[in-house]
Amino acid sequence: MGDSEIQHYLNRNGFERCALKAVLFDMDGVLYDSMPNHVRAWAGASGEYGLHLTREDVYMNEGRTGSGTINLFARRQWGRDATDEEIHAIYEAKARRFNAMDEAPVMPGAPELLQTVRREGFQIILVTGSGQRSLLSRLNHAFPGMFHPDTMVTSFDVTRGKPSPEPYLKGLHKAGVRPWEALVVENAPLGVEAAVAAGIFTVAVNTGPLPDNVLTEAGADRIYPSLQAMADDWHHLQSALQ
Ligand code: CA
């Protein structure tokens, strides 16, 4: 954990120091290895309606709301916005396919990282663009006692999804902390963009197929090759941000 990364973060935001109190976790691709399922569900559902989303499309747009994603590709491929009926139908089909799949595994390193963060007295906040009830209801089973409705921001809580800073600003509000008192753990370029726009020190865990420079260009302050690598380096990271 280089001091230069922190200095760069402080300079960019005009902050004097970090004082870590809360860790804001994204969910898909961070706590769950769920992106392969999302790719298959999106590709299948959009294909039913004549939209074509590739694996890279899904990873590049991860974090956008369902309607935002559908509209983006409708404008690109159909030259117009999707109708409300189309958005509803495609998103329903995507959710149906996703829910019919085997449950996504917990990301290696996630339980131990959450336990360490909790044990050391930092708040844990979930900030996800997901409205997948199946995954949300699994949180308490996979990570007992870690998440609570008061400490979760989901697609039901925001009017603008990532890359808008709104989800992370809501996360800061729920934690009752300022940007320099928080740390975000993200895996997706739009999620990184959202967290950086909210003024929070942003760690990217590159758990997907995109090259690191996509995450660097989105503004990530620090990149780890996996969540396990971040968990292994947690002691350095948290002491640098104190
Ligand atoms: Ca994610």
Side-chain angles (χ1 to χ4, degrees), residues 26-30 35 62-63 162 186-188:
D26 172 51
M27 185 173 76
D28 288 299
V30 170
M35 284 307 294
E62 187 200 338
K162 302 167 186 177
E186 261 290 348
N187 71 305

Side-chain angles (χ1 to χ4, degrees), residues 129-206:
S130 176
Q132 294 287 349
R133 292 174 194 277
S134 63
L135 266 184
L136 296 176
S137 65
R138 284 183 61 211
L139 280 167
N140 274 332
H141 180 69
F143 309 107
M146 292 295 170
F147 299 101
H148 183 271
D150 290 347
T151 57
M152 287 166 55
V153 178
T154 73
S155 69
F156 304 111
D157 297 307
V158 296
T159 51
R160 303 186 62 201
K162 302 167 186 177
S164 160
E166 187 189 344
Y168 281 110
L169 293 173
K170 286 237 157 107
L172 291 175
H173 185 73
K174 287 204 173 192
V177 301
R178 311 296 302 270
W180 60 87
E181 296 172 326
L183 160 67
V184 165
V185 190
E186 261 290 348
N187 71 305
L190 295 180
V192 167
E193 226 178 280
V196 168
I200 308 170
F201 189 91
T202 305
V203 169
V205 290
N206 195 355

Side-chain angles (χ1 to χ4, degrees), residues 50-65:
L51 274 185
H52 303 287
L53 269 73
T54 65
R55 178 166 177 258
E56 187 178 55
D57 289 336
V58 176
Y59 274 97
M60 284 300 292
N61 289 283
E62 187 200 338
R64 235 183 255 291
T65 59

Side-chain angles (χ1 to χ4, degrees), residues 98-112:
F98 185 86
N99 290 333
M101 291 173 187
D102 287 343
E103 288 189 340
V106 164
M107 190 67 81
E112 91 184 62

